[in-house]
Amino acid sequence: MTVRVVLADDQTVVRAGFRALLDLTDDLVVAEAADGARAVEAVRTTRPDVVLMDIRMPGVDGLEATRRIAGDRSLDGVRVVMLTTYQVGAYVFEALRHGAAGFLLKDIEPDDLRAAIRTVAEGSGLLDPAVTRRVIEEFARLKAPEAAGAERLAVLTGREREVMAPVAAGLSNEEIGKRLIMSPLTAKTHISRTMTKLGARDRVPLVVLAYETGLVRPGEH
């Protein structure tokens, strides 16, 4: 499977490095961008599968660019992965809130990069459930549950709310099925309906919302 990728980073050497790694595979770099505004334009023009997005860029930064991409319903098939030099940080958390599918460290190993791109392109969402959840938990500890966020959960059935907890814990459909005594297919159906009702592109927003609303608390799995 060829994965179409847009590289967005203000450093030419970084873009060149990632392009060189991807050129060794079947993946195809369809565009590069040195700032967020150009990244959004490139995404709308080329419709890639995955965007590797730097967080800090001049003008429109990666957070705003991610928000614009995630907010455009015509780009639902595009997954944004944030590039960062730190595992945990406020910028990474905000990126996940804005619709990023996950994040990668810029010094990632080549094989891990290729595997991550394929994971996201296939719609799996979380690159690494444990690491992504740790980022979300870290910042959930610093803030009280949001009432506005809790109101969003009102559209869910009791079963759909129940499914969000194991999703937030990073469990697979099979594991969720075992925990809630249902088939993996039924678990997948509940998750899909939950994502549709909440306007989520993948599982990441469900994890964020579960913690922000207090449905799941840091340390609970």
Side-chain angles (χ1 to χ4, degrees), residues 172-208:
S172 66
N173 292 339
E174 183 174 353
E175 292 169 331
I176 292 173
K178 290 181 179 179
R179 173 177 291 192
L180 301 181
I181 312 177
M182 62 176 68
S183 71
L185 180 58
T186 299
K188 181 179 179 180
T189 298
H190 282 307
I191 294 170
S192 296
R193 289 175 179 170
T194 300
M195 289 169 55
T196 298
K197 289 183 177 181
L198 297 177
R201 299 158 65 89
D202 49 45
R203 294 187 179 211
V204 177
L206 299 187
V207 180
V208 173

Side-chain angles (χ1 to χ4, degrees), residues 21 26-27 55-56 66 71 76 79 92 103 111 121 123 126 129 160 164 168 175 180 185 193 202 217:
L21 292 177
D26 293 332
D27 300 320
I55 293 179
R56 297 185 180 183
T66 298
D76 276 352
R79 295 291 180 261
V92 172
F103 66 96
D111 288 344
L126 297 173
E160 288 164 352
M164 282 187 66
E175 292 169 331
L180 301 181
L185 180 58
R193 289 175 179 170
D202 49 45
R217 299 185 183 281

Side-chain angles (χ1 to χ4, degrees), residues 77-159:
V78 179
R79 295 291 180 261
V80 180
V81 177
M82 309 308 296
L83 298 175
T84 179
T85 53
Y86 304 98
Q87 275 200 356
V88 177
Y91 285 111
V92 172
F93 178 66
E94 287 303 314
L96 296 175
R97 291 189 67 197
H98 284 316
F103 66 96
L104 296 174
L105 298 181
K106 289 188 177 182
D107 61 355
I108 186 172
E109 293 294 324
D111 288 344
D112 293 336
L113 170 65
R114 292 187 282 270
I117 288 176
R118 273 169 170 65
T119 295
V120 173
E122 292 168 358
S124 299
L126 297 173
L127 293 175
D128 185 329
V131 175
T132 303
R133 189 174 63 251
R134 187 164 68 245
V135 172
I136 296 172
E137 283 192 356
E138 179 71 21
F139 288 90
R141 296 178 192 278
L142 305 179
K143 55 194 302 186
E146 297 181 358
E151 292 176 2
R152 292 182 60 191
L153 300 183
V155 302
L156 304 179
T157 65
R159 200 55 159 168

